Amino acid sequence: MLGSTACGAFDGEYRWVETRAAPMRNAERVIIQWNVICLDIENSGAGGEELRLAQEDLARASQAASLAELSASIAHEVNQPLAAIVANSHACQRWLSAEPPNIQRAKITTERITRDANSAADVVSRIRALFRQSVKPRTARRSLAQSLKRVTSWPRRLHVPRSYGD
């Protein structure tokens, strides 16, 4: 048998203890005595809380690092076509400023500008689609009533007698 309960200590304070009990039986399999050990687990909760807080901090740091990587990747994907648009617009200005203006080359360059602008728009659309897929509403698998019933059915304490005998 195993359980956790609060019990009084010699100093009058109550502590959380884990109790383990095993029956001692005679040849006829009749219980003649219970052997019980109580382990003080009062301070193990504090260590568990520190562990939980450290795990939360690590999860936040991991999320921040992932977000930084994602931001850098998005910036790179958007900057590529934008830089091409700027370069092509400068080229188009040069073709139109030449004596005589090179209209044919300027037309080709404006087509490249349009292509690169569409490429930038496609990157943004793909990013939006990615986030639409990853952000789905969570659905409750269990009703509140079912959860409360499950929690209240758990035993609150396990009462183990110190010893049985004649």
Side-chain angles (χ1 to χ4, degrees):
M1 295 175 70
L2 174 66
S4 296
T5 188
C7 70
F10 290 111
D11 60 4
E13 295 289 321
Y14 280 85
R15 288 182 174 60
W16 281 101
V17 295
E18 181 177 283
T19 32
R20 297 176 189 222
M24 180 183 251
R25 300 177 187 266
N26 63 11
E28 291 82 37
R29 306 288 300 148
V30 174
I31 298 174
I32 57 172
Q33 180 178 332
W34 280 90
N35 295 318
V36 179
I37 185 169
C38 294
L39 302 169
D40 186 350
I41 59 170
E42 180 73 25
N43 294 330
S44 67
E49 179 68 12
E50 289 175 15
L51 176 61
R52 186 186 64 76
L53 291 173
Q55 287 172 334
E56 285 178 4
D57 289 344
L58 182 60
R60 275 192 293 278
S62 177
Q63 287 173 343
S66 295
L67 186 59
E69 288 180 34
L70 180 63
S71 299
S73 177
I74 290 171
H76 175 75
E77 291 297 319
V78 173
N79 280 334
Q80 290 283 99
L82 293 178
I85 291 169
V86 170
N88 284 325
S89 66
H90 287 298
C92 186
Q93 285 176 343
R94 282 192 309 275
W95 295 124
L96 293 174
S97 299
E99 270 309 316
N102 191 336
I103 302 299
Q104 184 60 31
R105 294 295 271 174
K107 283 183 182 180
I108 293 170
T109 307
T110 57
E111 289 170 3
R112 289 180 182 162
I113 292 171
T114 303
R115 180 199 64 206
D116 293 333
N118 286 332
S119 177
D122 289 345
V123 168
V124 172
S125 294
R126 285 194 307 270
I127 292 168
R128 283 184 177 161
L130 174 71
F131 283 107
R132 260 188 253 120
Q133 290 173 2
S134 65
V135 181
K136 293 182 180 173
R138 292 185 179 184
T139 58
R141 295 183 182 185
R142 183 188 328 247
S143 72
L144 179 60
Q146 288 173 325
S147 297
L148 288 173
K149 184 178 178 183
R150 184 173 178 212
V151 169
T152 56
S153 69
W154 293 341
R156 293 183 188 259
R157 291 189 180 167
L158 178 65
H159 296 284
V160 179
R162 292 184 188 235
S163 66
Y164 284 97
D166 298 15

